[in-house]
Amino acid sequence: CYTTDTKSREENKKTIESLHRLSVDIKKIRRLKEWVLLQDVAYVKEIAGILQEMGADETTVANILERCPEAILHTPAEVNSQRALWQLVCQNEKQLIKLIEQFPESFFTTEYHENQKANILFFQELGLKNNIITRFLTSAPNIFYNPVEKNKNLIETLQRNYLNLGGSDANMKIWILKLLSQNPFILLNTSTVIQENLEFLQKNDFTDHEVLQLLSKLKGFIFQLTPTTMQKSMHFSQNVFKCSDQELKQLVLKCPALLYYSVPVLEERLEGLLKEGISVSQIRETPMVLELTTQIVEYRIKKLSALGYDIKSGTLESLNGTKKDFEVNYGKIQSKKERPIFNPVAPINIED
C-alpha cells in the first residue's frame, strides 16, 4: 500500500532532519524501506526518547532505527504498551533494550498487542520460564499473534494425544514444556494436522510407545510434515535399503531423519556417502549418518583419513553425532594412533 505512488510523493523533511540529528544512516533507510520516509506523520523524537529512557545510548538508538525504521510510525502510546508487555518477561530494562536491538521487528509489531499479552500470560500459567518466553517473542513472534484460544486448543490436543498414547499424567507437563521449548512453531499448526500425522504413524504399525518415542526424538518437527511426504520418504528408504516393513520401522526409530527429511535431501546425502566409497550396507547399519549434511560428512572423512582411518572398512559410528561428539571420537582415534606400541614403564612378566 506504500509503494503505488512513492515516485510522486516527497520525503518528509521533518522526519529526515530528526533522523539526521540522531546520526541515523538515512541512505540505508532509503535503500531498504524508503516508504517510511514518505509518511506524513512520524514520531522520531518520541520513539528515540522512549529507547533512551530504557538505557539505549546514541549508537544503539541509531542502530535500532536503521534496522527497523517503521518503529517511528508507531505512536508513543503503542510503544510504551509494548514496553510494559515485554517487561512481564524481561528481568530488567537492560535486558529489554538488548533484545530490542537484536530483534527490533519483533518488538515493534504492535498490531496484535492484546493477543500477545493473553499468550504471554497463558505461557506463564502453563509453566514456561520467562527466559523461554522471551526466546519465543524474538525467534517465533508469530505464535503470539494467534488468538490465545487457538494456542490453548492446540496444547489440549497435544496433552490428550500424549495420554492416549500411554503417557502418564505425572510426566505430561514436563513433556509439553520440553516440546514447546524445542519447537514453539508447533503452535502454528492446526489440531487436524497433529491428528492426521499421529494417525499416519499408527497406520504404519508404530506402537503407541514408539509414536511417543518419535515425537520426543523429532522435537515436535513431525507436526510440520504431512502423511504424503512421510510416506514418500519411507518408501524411498525401503527401496534403498531393500528391507521389510518391520525392518524399515526399526530403521526409522533408530534414525527419525528417514521420516523427517524429504526424498531430494535423502537422495543428495546418500549420493554424497556413496561417492566417498561408503556402502549401502554400512549406511543401513548406521543410518544416523544421514542426519549430517554432505559437507559435514566430507569434512569429517577428510580429517579421519589424515589419521590413516579408513572409513570404507571401518564403522560409520566415528562420523556420527554433534560437532562435540565427533571431536571426542576424533581425539580418541588420534591418541590411539600416537600411543607407543612398547610401554617402557609396563611391569615385566618374569616368565618372559
Side-chain angles (χ1 to χ4, degrees):
C1 62
Y2 291 104
T3 53
T4 50
D5 60 347
T6 52
K7 295 293 174 197
S8 60
R9 291 177 65 182
E10 286 185 5
E11 289 179 352
N12 186 325
K13 284 179 185 172
K14 194 180 170 188
T15 302
I16 301 287
E17 284 165 16
S18 300
L19 288 169
H20 188 69
R21 279 192 212 105
L22 292 165
S23 305
V24 173
D25 185 345
I26 294 155
K27 284 180 185 174
K28 195 173 179 182
I29 297 177
R30 280 196 186 109
R31 193 170 67 248
L32 300 173
K33 293 179 181 177
E34 192 194 16
W35 58 270
V36 172
L37 304 174
L38 308 177
Q39 305 312 306
D40 296 329
V41 181
Y43 302 92
V44 183
K45 287 178 193 170
E46 294 86 343
I47 303 311
I50 293 169
L51 293 171
Q52 284 159 350
E53 266 175 40
M54 285 189 265
D57 59 22
E58 189 181 318
T59 309
T60 304
V61 171
N63 188 25
I64 291 169
L65 297 184
E66 280 167 15
R67 285 191 57 198
C68 184
E70 57 270 41
I72 64 173
L73 304 181
H74 293 291
T75 67
E78 286 171 338
V79 175
N80 274 323
S81 294
Q82 200 73 341
R83 174 185 179 179
L85 186 63
W86 281 47
Q87 278 174 328
L88 293 173
V89 288
C90 285
Q91 293 169 357
N92 49 45
E93 291 206 316
K94 190 181 175 183
Q95 188 201 5
L96 175 54
I97 202 70
K98 199 175 174 185
L99 286 174
I100 296 170
E101 188 176 13
Q102 288 176 300
F103 308 95
E105 291 87 356
S106 299
F107 179 78
F108 288 106
T109 302
T110 61
E111 292 85 341
Y112 306 93
H113 184 80
E114 289 310 311
N115 283 358
Q116 286 184 60
K117 187 175 184 178
N119 278 307
I120 285 173
L121 297 173
F122 167 60
F123 291 140
Q124 285 177 329
E125 283 166 26
L126 200 61
L128 276 171
K129 290 189 169 68
N130 283 342
N131 64 323
I132 301 289
I133 299 173
T134 54
R135 183 156 61 78
F136 288 2
L137 277 169
T138 53
S139 61
N142 294 15
I143 66 172
F144 292 88
Y145 308 158
N146 287 338
V148 72
E149 290 73 26
K150 182 186 182 295
N151 286 339
K152 277 183 181 174
N153 288 341
L154 215 88
I155 297 291
E156 282 164 14
T157 302
L158 287 168
Q159 288 171 330
R160 191 169 55 251
N161 278 294
Y162 178 77
L163 294 174
N164 289 345
L165 291 166
S168 69
D169 263 317
N171 291 332
M172 184 173 68
K173 187 179 177 181
I174 296 164
W175 182 79
I176 284 286
L177 294 179
K178 192 176 178 185
L179 203 63
L180 282 175
S181 302
Q182 289 171 329
N183 181 16
F185 296 103
I186 293 170
L187 296 169
L188 296 178
N189 290 306
T190 63
S191 300
T192 315
V193 167
I194 288 175
Q195 214 63 52
E196 282 174 356
N197 286 0
L198 293 177
E199 281 169 15
F200 167 81
L201 294 173
Q202 287 167 319
K203 280 175 192 166
N204 278 273
D205 296 327
F206 286 93
T207 65
D208 289 351
H209 176 71
E210 287 167 345
V211 173
L212 266 187
Q213 205 181 318
L214 279 173
L215 290 186
S216 300
K217 278 189 176 180
L218 281 166
K219 301 176 181 177
F221 286 108
I222 194 166
F223 301 130
Q224 285 163 239
L225 306 174
T226 66
T228 310
T229 56
M230 287 191 279
Q231 186 67 66
K232 283 178 181 173
S233 296
M234 285 173 73
H235 184 65
F236 171 78
S237 298
Q238 192 161 24
N239 283 342
V240 166
F241 297 121
K242 296 180 173 47
C243 55
S244 67
D245 290 350
Q246 189 56 33
E247 286 168 332
L248 176 67
K249 197 178 85 163
Q250 292 310 312
L251 281 173
V252 168
L253 287 169
K254 207 173 175 184
C255 175
L258 296 176
L259 194 69
Y260 177 68
Y261 288 121
S262 65
V263 170
V265 170
L266 290 172
E267 256 175 342
E268 185 205 340
R269 292 185 180 186
L270 190 78
E271 279 169 22
L273 289 162
L274 296 175
K275 199 175 78 180
E276 295 291 339
I278 292 163
S279 67
V280 172
S281 57
Q282 278 179 296
I283 300 166
R284 182 173 168 170
E285 199 61 40
T286 316
M288 294 79 75
V289 77
L290 290 166
E291 292 172 0
L292 305 169
T293 65
T294 308
Q295 290 79 2
I296 290 172
V297 167
E298 284 172 1
Y299 167 76
R300 291 183 181 183
I301 289 174
K302 210 172 184 180
K303 278 199 84 171
L304 290 169
S305 297
L307 293 179
Y309 185 89
D310 185 12
I311 203 77
K312 290 173 229 174
S313 56
T315 169
L316 300 185
E317 287 293 340
S318 48
L319 282 179
N320 266 346
T322 61
K323 187 181 178 182
K324 193 179 176 183
D325 296 334
F326 174 72
E327 292 301 336
V328 170
N329 283 333
Y330 177 79
K332 283 178 187 172
I333 294 167
Q334 193 175 32
S335 61
K336 199 174 178 182
K337 186 177 182 287
E338 290 166 357
R339 198 179 299 140
I341 296 166
F342 166 68
N343 185 350
V345 296
I348 298 166
N349 193 323
I350 303 300
E351 288 176 10
D352 290 344

